[in-house]
Amino acid sequence: MATNDIGDGAIAGIITGVIMGILALLLALIGLASLVAFVDVRSIFGGVMPIAGFAAASLTAMIALLLFMAIVGLILGAIFGGIYEKIPTTSAVTKGIVFLLAIWVIFGLLIPILLSAGGAMPTALTATSIISALIAAIIWGGLLGMMFHWVSGKTAAPARPVVR
């Protein structure tokens, strides 16, 4: 385990976390826009806060989500960089997918099943969260592997010419 692999993984993780945060924000905004046809969102929040306050709160929430995703990405990327050589596949993308699938088994599969077994979540919601977490893990893992490969190439020392 080289320390530059951990650093490269952390940088790749931050980039990947921000990309995934932007994707999550876009999906949330698309979902919110689709609700407008059925519910006037401004009238729901209008009594609580004015329009300008709602926009500022949304921007603050977006920035907070991006920062949170960058921090999560930093942690996952550093762990990925630390165990990169031990993951038994050949390409960085497949190593990233395998790594995030292992994380998914713990957080995206076992925890929702345990919560559902305790009666805290309905079965349909459990299945939906498991499947959506699986899709997100595959996308995040592929992006993490691509970013790790890119960052590693950018930070590698240039090759010295062979003197004969």
Side-chain angles (χ1 to χ4, degrees):
M1 167 176 61
T3 52
N4 64 342
D5 284 346
I6 295 172
D8 291 348
I11 293 168
I14 291 170
I15 295 168
T16 304
V18 169
I19 291 170
M20 292 300 290
I22 290 170
L23 288 175
L25 286 173
L26 289 174
L27 290 173
L29 290 173
I30 290 169
L32 186 61
S34 67
L35 285 177
V36 173
F38 304 106
V39 177
D40 184 16
V41 176
R42 288 184 297 168
S43 68
I44 294 172
F45 292 110
V48 179
M49 59 183 80
I51 301 284
F54 176 70
S58 296
L59 183 60
T60 303
M62 289 179 192
I63 292 170
L65 177 70
L66 288 175
L67 284 173
F68 175 74
M69 294 294 278
I71 292 169
V72 169
L74 171 90
I75 294 166
L76 289 175
I79 295 169
F80 177 69
I83 65 170
Y84 180 79
E85 296 296 327
K86 294 179 176 58
I87 300 174
T89 63
T90 55
S91 77
V93 173
T94 56
K95 286 180 186 248
I97 292 171
V98 167
F99 173 68
L100 261 295
L101 285 177
I103 299 294
W104 170 78
V105 166
I106 298 167
F107 294 104
L109 184 63
L110 293 179
I111 291 176
I113 288 174
L114 291 174
L115 288 175
S116 178
M121 288 176 37
T123 307
L125 186 60
T126 302
T128 303
S129 69
I130 288 172
I131 291 169
S132 62
L134 174 63
I135 294 168
I138 292 170
I139 294 170
W140 191 312
L143 276 172
L144 180 61
M146 285 186 343
M147 290 298 114
F148 183 80
H149 179 71
W150 180 72
V151 169
S152 295
K154 294 288 184 186
T155 60
R160 287 189 253 161
V162 178
V163 179
R164 294 182 188 202

